Amino acid sequence: MKSALKASAAFGALLMATTVAGGAYAAESLQDVMKRRGLNEKDMLAAAKTYTPTGGRDEFLAFSSGGQSGQVIVYGIPSMRILKYIGVFTPEPWQGYGFDDESKAVLAQGNVDGKQITWGDTHHPAASETNGESDGKFVFINDKNNPRIAVIDLHDFETKQIVVNPIMQSEHGGAFVTPNTEYVIEASQYPAPLGGEYVPLEQFNDKYRGAVTYWKFDKSKGRIDPSQSFSVELPPYTQDLSDAGKLVSDGWSFTNSLCSERYVGGIEKGRPPYEAGCSANDHDYLHVVNWKKAEEVYKAGKVTKIKDHPVITLKTAIEEGLLVLVPEPKSPHGVDVSPDGKYIIVGGKLDSNAHVYSFEKIQAAVAAKKFAGKDSYGVPIIDVKDAIHKQVPLGLGPLHTQYDSKPCVAYTSLYVDSQVAKYDYCEGKVLDKISVHYNIGHLMTMEGDTTKPKGKYLVAMNKLAIDRFNPVGPLHPQNHQLIDISGDKMELLYDMPLPLGEPHYVMAIAADKVKPAIRYKFGTNSRTDQQSAFAVRPGGEKVVKNGNKVEVYGTAIRSHFTPEIVEVEEGDEVTFHITNMERAQDEVHGFAVSGMDVNLSLEPGKTASASFKADKAGVYPFYCTEFCSALHLEMEGYLMVKPKGAQQMAGKVEEGVKYVKADFDKQYKSCIDTQAVIDQVVAYITSTNFKDFPSVVALVEDATDQLNFAKDARAKADEAAKKEDWQQATLWAGQWWQYQVKAADIGLRAKTYLEQNGAKPAK
Ligand code: RUQ
Ligand code: CUA
């Protein structure tokens, strides 16, 4: 018992020492701290609005694009604490993403024409919706550079699928979902010949095109179904952001554009640059697409196949009346549909107004075929005055718009002015402005692009941080500023540096809608959500050799892998399939092999595989890369790569320590004493209403697991002792004790929890 409790006694002593030492200083009062840190009352109020005490939870989960990192960043609001980076288009070793066979297969779906792409330029995350509201199930995100869309499942926050746009060369208007996640919208950016073949720039007007793709999402499978997806061809106007209509405008989608001049640059030939040629006209075009009609046209087969992908040509789109254009302010950027679906707000970077369009007016003009003319491709154009509801003068550089829970209230980012403008878009009245630091791009309110925005907070995503943080070299972090929008005046609460690429859009979901799992079903391939063919139960571990292929079917549990020593031959193709047998919350193991570019992240229940070629003879330690337990450093083994034709490992290992009966007896006694401690803890727990505490129930399950393993180890120790094999008997008794310590550790955690959370005697 002494040895079992040695460690906790030491912790106790340490704690005492700290308390005593702390006593030497007088405790500071709130006033003292304010004075010392130069904080005023406004700061204190802001702090109180964001500070989240230990164990506290956030009200909203924000999903941020990771910009050039090709990832998604998850953080909590209002605490602004980063919770996760989700590997999406870019390998991420901690999660094993791009380092295990399962996730390599997901990344490989994103190969472009067979070429492996190991990054992405993520811009716009979108939450899956049911009836126009966030449902907390899936997140979609685009890659602007290599036109792709990825699907993340919020069951485990892992990337499940990447689809490559078959006809675009770049994109920007993704990912935006329709109100029941029927489709994920992706619009192109820089025009190119659809399908990607070579056409000289001299034929830009004739042969270069834009497009908008409607990716069919299968909610029950949680995957995009490319075989049910289609595109609409668009003129080469450099399409930009998109949004889906909702409620009254459901069935329609909106995509703006920024170079309707169709300018072709060429500084090297003495031509003015793109920036001059693309900003010459006073307006660009908002593309209004009737996607429900487009879906019918696609289903009727009125499509052209480009690279096997069905495309509704411009000609067909015009004939079917499913595409119209509306002039919009110079060099627009964001297009955002209001929660009731009645208005569409566009910000023109080079115009100081927010343009509020009326869907009702647009629809009336379409129905009456009241057009001001056609563009050079024959697409009908609605006159601005037949579509506009209000122009609201906001300031310089309006970009993106988000909505409040209060009716008619919107927020638009002003890039040039470095401000957020709050206004009434029904009446066209500015209500408030707040300065941000600096040069805001997107902004976001809680569920602010759904039919039911939640108000409360706004996050300003600023492109430049300049002087806001401690300098860390010429590349600065990005600055996300949290703003309280619950009152009439906007109040700045918090600056959060984001140091992982330039996040563009972020969206937030009420945290209580997101219900991720704690563990996987035993032996799950998390990337397919199916049972892995390579999962084995404890006792079923094996090594299968087939020619020069060696497959290891192993398991991991605190604190060992089975098997521990694996012998292969130089040149063998080796695969480790490892299943984490843990059921306990947060008991993750890693698996890394020296020099093989392998790291697995094995969450409880997961099976993951690592394949590599053992091309050089040598000794390669492998180990667990997560500090999972007191004996984590001992969670190790060896991959022995023998030179070709070398003998099997011969003879017995020379023992480092030889054990005798006295060693066995001593170890045995420790085990019996430890069992007494465990019995006490168990007696306490079962005397309470522990079943009313789900996290304690989980701990009890885990402890029971450990005690069952302990029983097996004890049986082995007893058997060896009967044969008077004191070496084996002592070591197995030691293993028995290891399982007991784990069980005791978990039991004590449960006991503390019960004591601190007001457990009552069991009825
Ligand atoms: S972007 S700052 Cu959405 Cu790619 Cu506007
Ligand atoms: Cu398992 Cu460390």
Side-chain angles (χ1 to χ4, degrees):
M1 169 142 88
K2 258 192 217 124
S3 33
L5 297 177
K6 211 167 55 185
S8 51
F11 280 128
L14 194 70
L15 209 70
M16 292 267 288
T18 322
T19 322
V20 171
Y25 302 90
E28 279 184 302
S29 71
L30 185 60
Q31 309 306 333
D32 294 337
V33 177
M34 286 172 70
K35 200 165 152 212
R36 176 166 60 81
R37 300 199 64 214
L39 305 174
N40 60 29
E41 245 176 53
K42 213 174 150 218
D43 298 329
M44 298 310 291
L45 192 60
K49 285 182 180 179
T50 60
Y51 176 70
T52 306
T54 181
R57 294 286 190 276
D58 279 299
E59 206 181 332
F60 296 95
L61 286 181
F63 294 82
S64 172
S65 107
Q68 303 90 328
S69 77
Q71 301 179 0
V72 164
I73 305 162
V74 186
Y75 59 81
I77 291 176
S79 78
M80 305 301 271
R81 296 177 299 181
I82 294 180
L83 300 170
K84 192 163 220 172
Y85 296 140
I86 305 173
V88 181
F89 297 110
T90 310
E92 200 293 299
W94 182 38
Q95 298 157 40
Y97 190 63
F99 297 87
D100 63 45
D101 297 352
E102 291 78 3
S103 60
K104 278 181 186 168
V106 174
L107 280 164
Q109 295 168 11
N111 291 356
V112 175
D113 292 329
K115 193 182 274 151
Q116 193 188 4
I117 311 269
T118 53
W119 79 291
D121 188 10
T122 60
H123 279 233
H124 309 109
S128 58
E129 292 180 10
T130 302
N131 299 324
E133 289 188 62
S134 293
D135 58 23
K137 297 231 156 67
F138 299 94
V139 171
F140 308 93
I141 185 127
N142 70 324
D143 171 8
K144 165 167 164 152
N145 183 60
N146 321 284
R148 299 182 291 179
I149 299 280
V151 180
I152 298 163
D153 191 334
L154 295 183
H155 166 77
D156 57 1
F157 286 55
E158 282 200 350
T159 302
K160 304 290 174 173
Q161 184 185 25
I162 298 175
V163 290
V164 180
N165 195 298
I167 60 170
M168 295 174 188
Q169 298 300 104
S170 79
E171 58 102 289
H172 193 223
F176 299 91
V177 300
T178 55
N180 276 301
T181 325
E182 298 94 337
Y183 290 99
V184 182
I185 300 173
E186 180 182 34
S188 58
Q189 182 124 75
Y190 306 112
L194 296 184
E197 82 275 29
Y198 175 80
V199 176
L201 277 163
E202 284 72 19
Q203 298 172 41
F204 186 90
N205 287 344
D206 291 344
K207 297 281 172 62
Y208 285 51
R209 287 292 179 267
V212 55
T213 299
Y214 299 87
W215 289 105
K216 181 81 197 157
F217 186 63
D218 182 333
K219 264 193 182 171
S220 63
K221 294 206 177 90
R223 300 290 186 275
I224 285 171
D225 182 354
S227 76
Q228 303 290 315
S229 307
F230 64 94
S231 298
V232 177
E233 181 185 21
L234 300 178
Y237 294 154
T238 309
Q239 282 74 24
D240 203 24
L241 289 170
S242 304
D243 202 1
K246 40 179 93 103
L247 299 173
V248 289
S249 52
D250 186 13
W252 297 72
S253 71
F254 309 91
T255 298
N256 54 24
S257 58
L258 56 88
C259 187
S260 58
E261 294 87 350
R262 292 174 291 158
Y263 183 69
V264 176
I267 295 184
E268 63 298 322
K269 291 186 185 127
R271 286 173 63 78
Y274 273 100
E275 61 173 316
C278 283
S279 59
N281 284 356
D282 282 341
H283 57 76
D284 288 290
Y285 290 121
L286 177 66
H287 302 67
V288 180
V289 182
N290 184 339
W291 68 255
K292 282 246 167 94
K293 188 139 194 205
E295 183 185 50
E296 283 166 24
V297 169
Y298 152 63
K299 285 189 174 154
K302 294 184 215 160
V303 291
T304 301
K305 293 263 176 122
I306 300 177
K307 277 192 158 171
D308 244 10
H309 173 77
V311 179
I312 299 173
T313 61
L314 251 181
K315 190 165 163 282
T316 308
I318 295 164
E319 282 167 10
E320 299 284 340
L322 58 85
L323 170 68
V324 293
L325 300 173
V326 183
E328 54 184 356
K330 205 173 167 105
S331 296
H333 193 39
V335 49
D336 296 276
V337 178
S338 64
D340 58 11
K342 289 186 182 162
Y343 299 101
I344 303 122
I345 299 185
V346 172
K349 299 188 296 278
L350 302 181
D351 189 296
S352 56
N353 296 293
H355 280 50
V356 184
Y357 295 95
S358 153
F359 179 71
E360 215 183 330
K361 285 190 177 177
I362 292 174
Q363 220 185 11
V366 171
K369 296 206 162 71
K370 188 171 181 227
F371 301 123
K374 286 179 182 164
D375 76 348
S376 37
Y377 300 92
V379 187
I381 303 170
I382 298 177
D383 198 296
V384 190
K385 68 174 184 340
D386 292 330
I388 201 92
H389 166 68
K390 282 262 161 6
Q391 282 188 3
V392 193
L394 296 180
L396 298 181
L399 294 186
H400 299 283
T401 300
Q402 286 273 289
Y403 296 91
D404 203 329
S405 51
K406 299 166 196 131
C408 292
V409 176
Y411 302 84
T412 293
S413 53
L414 303 175
Y415 178 84
V416 178
D417 279 345
S418 290
Q419 284 188 320
V420 172
K422 172 181 178 178
Y423 58 103
D424 179 325
Y425 57 89
C426 299
E427 297 300 322
K429 233 178 35 213
V430 177
L431 302 172
D432 188 27
K433 280 191 187 180
I434 191 170
S435 292
V436 292
H437 313 86
Y438 300 90
N439 298 91
I440 178 172
H442 278 270
L443 77 184
M444 148 318 247
T445 54
M446 307 302 100
E447 299 191 3
D449 47 19
T450 70
T451 54
K452 293 250 170 61
K454 300 288 179 285
K456 294 190 178 184
Y457 304 103
L458 179 150
V459 178
M461 286 139 242
N462 307 313
K463 300 295 182 191
L464 306 184
I466 307 183
D467 56 2
R468 290 294 103 172
F469 305 112
N470 292 50
V472 287
L475 181 63
H476 294 239
Q478 298 275 311
N479 186 11
H480 284 200
Q481 287 185 304
L482 181 70
I483 294 168
D484 181 350
I485 55 167
S486 55
D488 288 342
K489 301 283 294 167
M490 293 180 273
E491 300 280 356
L492 180 61
L493 299 180
Y494 192 72
D495 283 17
M496 176 177 69
L498 260 196
L500 195 82
E502 185 201 320
H504 293 259
Y505 185 49
V506 180
M507 59 78 186
I509 309 175
D512 58 12
K513 288 185 183 171
V514 183
K515 299 199 167 64
I518 285 174
R519 64 180 76 85
Y520 290 104
K521 250 193 231 148
F522 186 89
T524 300
N525 171 343
S526 68
R527 302 293 167 176
T528 61
D529 305 324
Q530 308 289 317
Q531 172 79 15
S532 168
F534 308 116
V536 285
R537 293 266 166 197
E541 296 92 345
K542 59 188 176 183
V543 179
V544 180
K545 299 194 190 199
N546 201 339
N548 71 338
K549 280 205 158 35
V550 182
E551 286 194 89
V552 182
Y553 295 74
T555 57
I557 194 155
R558 275 159 289 168
S559 313
H560 58 261
F561 294 107
T562 308
E564 292 189 326
I565 314 286
V566 175
E567 288 185 75
V568 303
E569 206 172 72
E570 190 175 21
D572 281 352
E573 303 281 351
V574 182
T575 303
F576 277 85
H577 308 288
I578 304 183
T579 301
N580 182 353
M581 299 193 293
E582 307 280 359
R583 293 194 294 162
Q585 178 156 331
D586 207 11
E587 268 308 329
V588 177
H589 299 287
F591 175 78
V593 188
S594 169
M596 301 297 176
D597 202 23
V598 161
N599 185 40
L600 303 183
S601 172
L602 300 157
E603 295 89 61
K606 191 193 242 186
T607 299
S609 309
S611 297
F612 54 90
K613 189 166 184 183
D615 39 17
K616 188 170 162 286
V619 173
Y620 300 89
F622 58 78
Y623 69 98
C624 168
T625 52
E626 284 277 338
F627 210 112
C628 51
S629 57
L631 292 175
H632 148 79
L633 293 173
E634 289 79 353
M635 196 164 172
E636 54 159 338
Y638 283 98
L639 172 70
M640 307 299 294
V641 182
K642 296 173 296 178
K644 268 216 154 45
Q647 289 298 307
Q648 281 292 115
M649 224 163 38
K652 273 196 179 165
V653 174
E654 163 97 39
E655 299 285 351
V657 180
K658 297 207 169 71
Y659 300 104
V660 295
K661 182 162 185 304
D663 296 310
F664 171 72
D665 290 343
K666 197 170 143 213
Q667 181 61 61
Y668 207 87
K669 179 159 188 316
S670 299
C671 293
I672 299 297
D673 290 345
T674 306
Q675 193 56 47
V677 177
I678 292 172
D679 292 343
Q680 274 174 29
V681 176
V682 171
Y684 169 78
I685 294 173
T686 50
S687 77
T688 69
N689 60 337
F690 77 95
K691 286 187 181 145
D692 298 342
F693 300 89
S695 63
V696 173
V697 172
L699 288 170
V700 168
E701 262 177 32
D702 186 23
T704 311
D705 275 356
Q706 300 298 328
L707 290 175
N708 283 332
F709 295 132
K711 223 189 274 168
D712 290 349
R714 178 183 192 167
K716 288 191 173 127
D718 287 339
E719 204 182 302
K722 225 184 280 165
K723 292 186 204 144
E724 300 194 2
D725 180 347
W726 304 119
Q727 196 70 24
Q728 286 277 316
T730 310
L731 290 167
W732 279 116
Q735 183 61 40
W736 166 20
W737 189 71
Q738 288 306 334
Y739 286 125
Q740 284 183 314
V741 171
K742 286 167 216 161
D745 176 48
I746 300 159
L748 287 169
R749 231 191 293 165
K751 182 169 178 266
T752 314
Y753 186 97
L754 290 170
E755 285 166 355
Q756 290 176 352
N757 290 276
K760 294 193 193 75
K763 275 179 218 133

